[in-house]
Amino acid sequence: MKLYPAIDLKDGKCVRLKQGEFKEITVYSDEPWNIAKDFERCGASFIHLVDLDGALKGRSVNEATIRRIVDSVDIPCELGGGIRSFADIERVLSYGIARVIIGTKAVSDPGFVKEAIQRFGANHIVVGVDARDGMVAVEGWGQLSDKTATSMCRAMKEMGVKHIVYTDISKDGMLAGPNIEMTKKLTEETGLDVIASGGVSSIKDLIALKNAGISGAIMGKAIYEKKIDVRQAVLEVEKEPIPFSEFKLNSDGMIPVVVQEEDTNEVLMVAYMNEEAYNLTLNTGMMTYYSRSRNEIWVKGLTSGHMQYVKSLKLDCDSDTILATVKQVGAACHTGAHSCFFRTII
């Protein structure tokens, strides 16, 4: 199941609402792009953005902030709020948003969704189905339509939609648990990729959604209220790391790690991990090794500031070597060279 940590934007700030009410607002950060970078460092593979002002006004309002968020991370972002025209979609996709979420417009003009898919592709178009008491809400959740969530999802499937973000408004921002029953029903009856939104309060909720066959879940207030740790959620729900016991170790009980830079594919260094170092790497997102010369665990860059942030870990076909792709800060080599491999033999 894919996890989507959320950033809701109002006046350029990261906020959360309670049940969609703007009078029930909490500001969590004046620099939402830094929150996005934290999500990425914690292993998130997608970020969910909502332009709350845009949803109310029917046009993009927080575009400068959204652009900065997109430019700050390497993982894809999806955006909802105020997208009402093909020009809106084209503009948003042009500055790096991977998927746009269409809500009110999908209710009032289903044909718009069909044409949007024809123009931009189904993988770039998501429909937001926001419901209160089973009825779809529009205009920033301020009005109820005459369509049920179920009928709306079925109609969107006929338009060619693959992805739905289903929000139970009564659950949103309440930390009372998601509407698993309805989300499961929509998934089973439509066969769509339904992403659950609203009410997620714990990793236990995420696991329950995963066990119900839900393909994705948005995490919002639970992150900001410290009820869900993004790194832990990704490890427990989205990713299932290979246990250290399955590795073929060397005579010292360790596995070699070839470290490669993400952007350039340059090989930076080779180090070793024991089980403790491996587990610390998974849990912290920072490359951690076992120093054979000092006989101790060491976090790369802890003293120098030249940290290595994990982007991916891959195991070779013989299970005896790890390839780590990292975001390198500063130099990888203790000599001050960017890579340890700077001496040419031939």
Side-chain angles (χ1 to χ4, degrees):
M1 184 174 76
K2 185 174 289 294
L3 301 179
Y4 299 80
I7 300 176
D8 289 3
L9 300 168
K10 187 176 190 324
D11 300 324
K13 300 175 182 180
C14 174
V15 306
R16 296 299 297 176
L17 306 182
K18 183 182 290 185
Q19 294 183 321
E21 296 291 340
F22 279 79
K23 62 183 179 182
E24 297 281 353
I25 189 169
T26 303
V27 177
Y28 287 99
S29 175
D30 293 337
E31 300 179 334
W33 47 89
N34 286 330
I35 291 179
K37 287 191 280 189
D38 284 340
F39 288 161
E40 183 178 31
R41 281 193 287 265
C42 288
S45 58
F46 224 112
I47 296 176
H48 177 80
L49 305 175
V50 180
D51 183 344
L52 293 172
D53 298 304
L56 278 179
K57 297 181 180 180
R59 56 180 173 81
S60 178
V61 175
N62 291 286
E63 186 167 315
T65 301
I66 294 164
R67 283 177 178 268
R68 187 164 181 179
I69 290 172
V70 172
D71 290 341
S72 298
V73 297
D74 295 322
I75 57 177
C77 300
E78 62 182 19
L79 171 67
I83 298 171
R84 302 283 199 272
S85 69
F86 298 123
D88 290 337
I89 296 173
E90 187 170 9
R91 185 186 68 257
V92 168
L93 294 178
S94 73
Y95 58 72
I97 289 292
R99 300 197 309 210
V100 299
I101 303 170
I102 302 170
T104 296
K105 186 70 173 180
V107 177
S108 63
D109 185 6
F112 172 84
V113 175
K114 184 176 182 178
E115 187 170 346
I117 288 173
Q118 291 171 346
R119 289 194 187 192
F120 305 104
N123 287 331
H124 292 300
I125 304 298
V126 181
V127 169
V129 177
D130 308 325
R132 194 191 303 273
D133 298 324
M135 304 304 295
V136 176
V138 295
E139 304 296 344
W141 298 355
Q143 302 176 22
L144 287 182
S145 72
D146 60 354
K147 295 179 173 62
T148 66
T150 302
S151 66
M152 181 69 183
C153 287
R154 287 174 176 161
M156 290 302 100
K157 184 177 182 179
E158 292 181 3
M159 298 296 108
V161 170
K162 292 182 178 179
H163 310 286
I164 293 283
V165 172
Y166 169 67
T167 304
D168 185 324
I169 298 171
S170 68
K171 299 282 188 178
D172 189 71
M174 299 300 291
L175 298 177
N179 190 336
I180 297 176
E181 182 180 355
M182 186 61 184
T183 311
K184 182 179 181 180
K185 177 182 177 183
L186 292 175
T187 299
E188 292 177 345
E189 291 188 2
T190 66
L192 293 169
D193 170 21
V194 180
I195 301 166
S197 176
V200 171
S201 65
S202 64
I203 290 180
K204 183 179 179 181
D205 285 340
L206 296 173
I207 292 173
L209 286 165
K210 182 178 180 178
N211 291 339
I214 310 305
S215 64
I218 292 170
M219 307 176 292
K221 187 175 183 179
I223 296 173
Y224 302 104
E225 295 294 326
K226 310 298 184 185
K227 296 181 181 296
I228 289 181
D229 178 83
V230 174
R231 185 178 307 284
Q232 183 184 3
V234 169
L235 287 174
E236 291 192 27
V237 179
E238 184 170 297
K239 299 179 181 178
E240 297 179 0
I242 299 172
F244 193 82
S245 59
E246 293 189 14
F247 299 158
K248 293 180 182 177
L249 308 177
N250 64 14
S251 58
D252 296 324
M254 290 185 280
I255 187 167
V257 183
V258 178
V259 184
Q260 185 178 41
E261 190 167 32
E262 178 193 29
D263 294 333
T264 65
N265 292 327
E266 181 180 9
V267 176
L268 300 176
M269 57 183 281
V270 177
Y272 292 83
M273 288 181 179
N274 62 5
E275 185 169 9
E276 182 182 2
Y278 176 68
N279 288 332
L280 283 170
T281 298
L282 293 179
N283 291 331
T284 65
M286 295 185 291
M287 293 301 295
T288 305
Y289 308 104
Y290 187 84
S291 171
R292 295 174 298 167
S293 60
R294 299 193 302 269
N295 292 319
E296 64 182 15
I297 294 289
W298 62 287
V299 179
K300 175 64 178 172
L302 191 60
T303 55
S304 67
H306 296 168
M307 313 297 289
Q308 289 176 348
Y309 295 101
V310 181
K311 303 304 293 186
S312 70
L313 297 176
K314 297 179 180 179
L315 187 64
D316 82 329
C317 58
D318 294 322
S319 300
D320 61 5
T321 305
I322 291 174
L323 174 63
T325 304
V326 304
K327 182 175 183 179
Q328 175 70 50
V329 177
C333 183
H334 72 283
T335 66
H338 187 67
S339 167
C340 293
F341 296 92
F342 58 86
R343 296 188 294 173
T344 301
I345 298 175
I346 56 173

